[in-house]
Every structure is written in structure tokens, then in C-alpha cells.
Amino acid sequence: MSPLGLDHQSMHAWLPSGTRVAVAMSGGVDSSVAAALLQEAGCDVLGVTMTLWSCHRSARAVKQTCCSTADVADARAVCERLGIPHCVVDFRSEFRERVIDHFAAEYAQARTPIPCIGCNQHFKFDRLWDVVQREHGAVYLATGHYAQIARDVAGAPLSLCRGRDAKKDQTYYLFVMTRAQLQHSLFPLGALTKTEVRAHAQRLGLVTAEKPESFEICFVPDNDYAGFLEDYYPHATGRPGAFLDTEGAVLGQHRGTHAYTIGQRRGLGVSGSERRYVTAIDPLLATVTLGTAAEVLGTRLSANGVNWICPQPAAGETLRATAKIRAQHTPASCRVTVDGVETLHVEFDTPQSAITPGQAVVLYDGDVVLGGGWIEKSA
């Protein structure tokens, strides 16, 4: 069965006109168009915006980001334009506890977290779904993600699949979804390209039509992760220490282990005859090891917290797949060994750069997402 995006004819085969659909609206063009296209498909649409972060800013943070009052206003303006209701749900205290505190704790352990996945897992497809179905009678929750759900003729989900726009595909961030969540989720943009989404926004006269994309984490508006931790979580920052080469020789001094991630080469402030990359971080010794591009390559990883969207393989089973180790990574061929219920090992056919603890490894069979987990260690 081919994945279905918002193909009106096929969607009408299983989604009755007037079905109540809540759309998670961030104030950006993607969620705006998702809401508009669902309305055009005959759905009874409700726009819902989550407030996740208080938007208090340090002196260094000057850019607007999601959760700002301007973004809420843009989401409301789109809803007014479409003639649909809009409401705001305040999850700020929960978000700080579940996502931001975890973000800081991971950096304190020299791991590189992905808070957007935690937001999807705990808020968009869990807490928000609970609110919209219980308080607003929603039958489905839609988002502006570029992903697709393959369904049978009755609308039952078969699998989570990549979006048509390969450059925008966001299934990496959705590997934590359960099959039960797929049952009541819609991704209206899955069969569209970003260019087509912009064209729809212009056709509909939406205020978000030309709004720039945000590539930042909502609570780190200037992309200065180290500065954010120093401002808000000073207890989670690593103490300054030494840059070492792979033989243990001192190359210089760094500002703190929280400011670096595996594979990083910019902003190191260490000169040399060839480019250097972060190959290891030790928060206990306060050392950051630098090596060559070849020394940051690895072929194996272990992962925990594994979630299977496909039927779960048995412990000890091996399978062939392709794997992504970060959002923009080109899927690489590998052998996967299922170690237990929530653990697995991956061995790549060819070495991969910067396999980073704290990031996710997401497994695919062609365009179908098999599942994924959190990288614990690499070799």
C-alpha cells in the first residue's frame, strides 16, 4: 500500500466529511497549510497552539522563535482567516520538567540531546492529544510534519513512511510514535513539497505564507546551547579544562565540556596543520579530545530506549536496514541485531562520521520507518 498524504479522493474514502480534527499550530506556514487543507477536505478543524516556553531571554538572545507571542498571534490570524476556532494550551511547567531539564542533564553527561523528539513524544502526540480529544471532541490530531502514514482502505494505519519531499522529511523526529498514536494522527503535508506548501499558503492568503523557517530549538532562539545552559542551568555546565589530541598531549584550553559535541570542528579555537574534530568528551576529567576526520569515524553503535513501529523483532534476531544517526544524515546500510526489548546494536557496512551519544538512530526499510532508539555508545 502506497503512503497517502492529503490526497483528497483517497482520504474521502475513509475520513468522513465533518470529522473533528485538531491541528497543532505553531504559527508557521506548515501547520497553517495543514489546517487549511484539512478544512478544504471537509473536516471540522480546530487550531490548537501549545505554549511551551516562557520566552524569558538573556541579553544574548534577541531573535524571535516559536512560542513567542507573535507566533501565537500568527496562528490565531490564520484561524480567523479560515474561519475556524483557535485555542491555546499552556504546558510550560511540564515542558520544562520533561524536556528542558532533560536537555540540560544530557549535556552535563557529555551527550547531545534532541529535545524536538521529546516534545513530540510527551506533548504533541500524548498530552495535546489527550486535551483535544477529551475537551474538544477531536477524532484526529494533525501536525505540519513532512511524513506519511500508509493506511488500508478503511483508514487503519499500516506504517509510518518518509515524506515525499526528501529534503524536508521529518520521520527521524517521529520514531517514538506508537501504532496507537498513528491511529489518530494525520500528516496532511506528507505528499507535498515545501514549494507546494508555500504556494498553497499564497493561494489562501495566509499571513504565514512568506514566514521564514526556524531551524532552532524553541527555547534556544539564538542556537547558543552553551550560553543557554550557562544562563539557566549553570549546575549542568562542565568546568573548563584541556583540549587533548588522541595521544593525550595538551592542545589548549576549552570553556567547559557542555559547549562541545562529537564531530564538532567549528568554534574550537585550536590551530593546527589540519582540521580537528571532537572525538571524545570526558565530563569527569573535563577533557575534550580532538582528532582528524578519520578518527571521528565509526562503524558500530548500541542504542537503548528502542521503540518499534513495525512488529517488534525477537531478541537475538538480525535484520538488514538503513539507518540515520542524525536528522540530515544520509541513510546508511547496516546490520541490526536486536539485543532485548529496548536495546539493539547496529553495524554499518561503511564507516560513518560522528556517531554521537544522545542522538537517535532511526531504522528504515526503504521509505518505511521500522523504529529507532537512543545512541548509548559507538565504536
Side-chain angles (χ1 to χ4, degrees):
M1 176 71 64
S2 298
L4 304 179
L6 192 74
D7 178 82
H8 290 218
Q9 189 173 25
S10 57
M11 177 168 279
H12 281 307
W14 57 267
L15 186 62
S17 178
T19 300
R20 182 73 156 170
V21 179
V23 182
M25 300 186 69
S26 65
V29 65
D30 294 331
S31 56
S32 298
V33 171
L37 293 181
L38 283 164
Q39 184 191 47
E40 289 189 334
C43 296
D44 175 18
V45 179
L46 163 71
V48 186
T49 300
M50 296 186 296
T51 302
L52 301 175
W53 175 239
S54 296
C55 292
H56 300 309
R57 298 287 186 257
S58 66
R60 64 167 56 85
V62 296
K63 293 183 181 179
Q64 175 183 317
T65 185
C66 96
C67 296
S68 71
T69 54
D71 288 314
V72 175
D74 284 344
R76 183 176 295 113
V78 168
C79 289
E80 290 176 354
R81 171 75 177 179
L82 299 175
I84 62 176
H86 175 260
C87 65
V88 177
V89 181
D90 189 344
F91 289 144
R92 282 175 292 182
S93 61
E94 296 174 65
F95 184 78
R96 178 150 196 161
E97 179 181 348
R98 295 298 298 272
V99 175
I100 307 180
D101 288 356
H102 175 75
F103 175 87
E106 287 284 273
Y107 268 106
Q109 298 177 59
R111 296 166 60 86
T112 304
I114 314 174
C116 295
I117 294 178
C119 179
N120 287 333
Q121 181 177 19
H122 300 301
F123 291 93
K124 277 194 180 79
F125 300 108
D126 186 3
R127 289 288 289 112
L128 184 60
W129 166 245
D130 178 65
V131 169
V132 298
Q133 71 159 337
R134 177 169 41 84
E135 298 183 11
H136 300 282
V139 180
Y140 290 95
L141 173 65
T143 72
H145 285 101
Y146 288 81
Q148 302 187 77
I149 300 172
R151 301 180 185 270
D152 63 21
V153 293
L158 300 174
S159 56
L160 175 66
C161 305
R162 299 180 197 273
R164 174 181 156 218
D165 189 334
K167 292 182 179 180
K168 296 300 297 178
D169 171 61
Q170 292 173 303
T171 51
Y172 179 84
Y173 298 102
L174 300 173
F175 83 88
V176 290
M177 292 190 72
T178 66
R179 293 185 69 82
Q181 289 172 333
L182 290 178
Q183 180 71 47
H184 56 248
S185 298
L186 298 175
F187 300 131
L189 308 188
L192 301 177
T193 66
K194 185 72 177 192
T195 299
E196 290 168 340
V197 168
R198 292 276 187 198
H200 277 298
Q202 292 166 352
R203 170 179 66 83
L204 295 161
L206 303 182
V207 297
T208 55
E210 302 300 330
K211 190 170 183 177
E213 289 187 79
S214 174
F215 296 99
E216 301 167 335
I217 294 172
C218 65
F219 55 87
V220 188
D222 50 5
N223 261 344
D224 183 2
Y225 309 109
F228 173 84
L229 293 171
E230 290 160 4
D231 282 350
Y232 294 101
Y233 290 85
H235 62 280
T237 58
R239 68 183 189 275
F243 280 124
L244 306 176
D245 66 15
T246 51
E247 300 299 320
V250 175
L251 300 173
Q253 298 296 308
H254 63 74
R255 66 187 281 189
T257 53
H258 64 285
Y260 306 93
T261 186
I262 299 298
Q264 180 177 335
R265 69 176 178 85
R266 292 188 174 91
L268 300 178
V270 176
S271 59
S273 58
E274 59 182 332
R275 288 179 175 174
R276 297 181 185 271
Y277 300 77
V278 175
T279 61
I281 304 169
D282 189 326
L284 295 179
L285 297 178
T287 58
V288 176
T289 302
L290 307 181
T292 63
E295 289 170 323
V296 82
L297 296 174
T299 57
R300 296 185 300 277
L301 65 83
S302 60
N304 55 26
V306 173
N307 177 64
W308 294 99
I309 298 177
C310 72
Q312 182 172 327
E317 185 175 343
T318 62
L319 61 146
R320 295 291 303 176
T322 60
K324 294 181 69 168
I325 54 174
R326 50 188 165 271
Q328 300 306 314
H329 179 237
T330 300
S333 297
C334 62
R335 183 179 68 175
V336 180
T337 303
V338 181
D339 187 44
V341 175
E342 293 188 1
T343 58
L344 57 77
H345 301 278
V346 174
E347 183 171 358
F348 291 100
D349 294 351
T350 57
Q352 304 298 306
S353 180
I355 303 174
T356 307
Q359 295 281 286
V361 56
V362 180
L363 308 174
Y364 296 84
D365 178 6
D367 287 335
V368 175
V369 180
L370 301 176
W374 299 100
I375 299 173
E376 183 63 25
K377 59 183 178 180
S378 63

